[in-house]
Amino acid sequence: MTAPVSAVTTEQQNPRTRALDAMSVTELLTAMNEEDRRVPVAVAAAIGQIARAVDLAVAALGAGGRLIYLGAGTSGRLGVLDAAECPPTFGTDPGQVRGVLAGGRAAMFEAVENAEDSVEFAVADLQAIELSAADVVVGIAASGRTPYVIGGLDHARAIGAATVALAANPNAEISEHADVAIEIDNGPEVLTGSTRLKAGTSQKLVLNMISTATMVRLGKVYGNLMVDVRPTNEKLVDRAVRIVQAATGCDRSRAESALADADGHAKTAIVAVLCGIGAAAARERLADAHGFVRAAIDDAAPAGAAPTDQR
């Protein structure tokens, strides 16, 4: 039986902030900060389940599938945000990591009434992106009981896709509708029921972990450098240069030259510098190494190369 809304942790009153309206600004902010400090501790308790979600995402993307975030309201918007950051950060195709939000694009900026209550909308939205058994769906719901998310997870499982549930409540209903259940128990919100606060923060942290760890395991990172970054603006061009310098120990001029030869691709430039080869040969090495820089340069760096501790 579904628990009443009053029993959901995120809907309960926080005894530490019952006098929120009587606090000074400094007291109020201190109370918020103290509550926020509980979030990473709660997330740490779920690392085992988060790791299982990463394994599913790596398997899906590695086999040509997609990582799909599905949610409503703040939860859905956080999924869209994480998905949108993957192409510039990791050089992924925009379709590889997608955010599906109840109510569509309009709901990113304004609430779309009743969208989160519809199972049918979720099914239609997933059908619209041609969800397949090769994909993995991460259903995100702070309450852990959103019909839109439950419907989407059920549809995904029915067609054979892997599924993950991410909730900000223990014993969440959506946990029963997924292969992997991540439950983050942050306790009641500072402002009763306002899940854009601790619940939203914990969801953002978990999504950061899922996407980043997945991309690391797919070879999108060398050391702690985002070597597949897309240098689409002046800031990112400068970052790409510094990434090549950090990974190889070369000077800025050499990094800029290698990047130019590599059409701006830091990963290719790094392999070219460390192996003393041209961009075309570096691309071949990377292809043979399935995109992993460390494997591409293994035992291939010339004696004069000066890589940093990123190796």
Side-chain angles (χ1 to χ4, degrees), residues 112-178:
V112 176
E113 299 299 331
N114 301 321
E116 69 177 55
D117 296 329
S118 174
V119 169
E120 292 76 17
F121 285 176
V123 173
D125 288 346
L126 291 176
Q127 289 176 334
I129 64 169
E130 300 182 339
L131 184 75
S132 77
D135 302 324
V136 57
V137 175
V138 179
I140 315 166
S143 67
R145 52 190 289 148
T146 306
Y148 179 88
V149 175
I150 291 173
L153 289 172
D154 286 346
H155 174 70
R157 295 181 80 181
I159 66 172
T163 51
V164 177
L166 171 56
N169 278 290
N171 303 312
E173 185 177 348
I174 63 170
S175 296
E176 301 174 6
H177 298 260

Side-chain angles (χ1 to χ4, degrees), residues 22-274:
M23 293 179 183
S24 68
V25 171
T26 299
E27 289 172 335
L28 193 160
L29 297 178
T30 299
M32 292 186 72
N33 182 248
E34 289 176 349
E35 290 298 312
D36 286 342
R37 289 168 63 184
R38 300 173 185 271
V39 174
V41 176
V43 170
I47 283 180
Q49 295 302 97
I50 299 170
R52 290 184 60 200
V54 170
D55 288 342
L56 290 180
V58 170
L61 271 68
R66 298 170 295 175
L67 171 58
I68 310 295
Y69 294 132
L70 177 77
T74 296
S75 298
R77 294 182 189 102
L78 289 170
V80 172
L81 174 62
D82 197 73
E85 293 291 348
C86 286
T89 305
F90 300 111
T92 58
D93 182 276
Q96 281 186 289
V97 183
R98 296 192 60 163
V100 177
L101 176 62
R105 288 179 175 271
M108 193 69 190
F109 306 99
E110 295 182 9
V112 176
E113 299 299 331
N114 301 321
E116 69 177 55
D117 296 329
S118 174
V119 169
E120 292 76 17
F121 285 176
V123 173
D125 288 346
L126 291 176
Q127 289 176 334
I129 64 169
E130 300 182 339
L131 184 75
S132 77
D135 302 324
V136 57
V137 175
V138 179
I140 315 166
S143 67
R145 52 190 289 148
T146 306
Y148 179 88
V149 175
I150 291 173
L153 289 172
D154 286 346
H155 174 70
R157 295 181 80 181
I159 66 172
T163 51
V164 177
L166 171 56
N169 278 290
N171 303 312
E173 185 177 348
I174 63 170
S175 296
E176 301 174 6
H177 298 260
D179 301 316
V180 174
I182 302 169
E183 297 178 346
I184 312 298
D185 186 3
N186 306 290
E189 296 287 3
V190 170
L191 183 64
T192 306
S194 184
T195 53
R196 67 187 180 86
L197 301 176
K198 289 191 297 182
T201 299
S202 66
Q203 290 172 330
K204 181 66 167 69
L205 291 178
V206 172
L207 296 177
N208 285 348
M209 296 168 84
I210 291 174
S211 58
T212 302
T214 295
M215 296 305 166
V216 170
R217 300 300 293 175
L218 290 172
K220 298 290 187 179
V221 174
Y222 175 50
N224 63 355
L225 301 172
M226 54 174 79
V227 292
D228 261 329
V229 63
R230 289 183 179 175
T232 54
N233 59 42
E234 186 175 338
K235 179 189 74 174
L236 294 180
V237 168
D238 178 68
R239 179 178 293 166
V241 172
R242 289 185 284 108
I243 285 171
V244 174
Q245 287 183 270
T248 66
C250 73
D251 60 25
R252 186 175 182 89
S253 177
R254 178 72 179 97
E256 290 176 336
S257 175
L259 273 170
D261 291 342
D263 297 322
H265 190 210
K267 182 186 284 187
T268 301
I270 289 167
V271 174
V273 172
L274 289 179

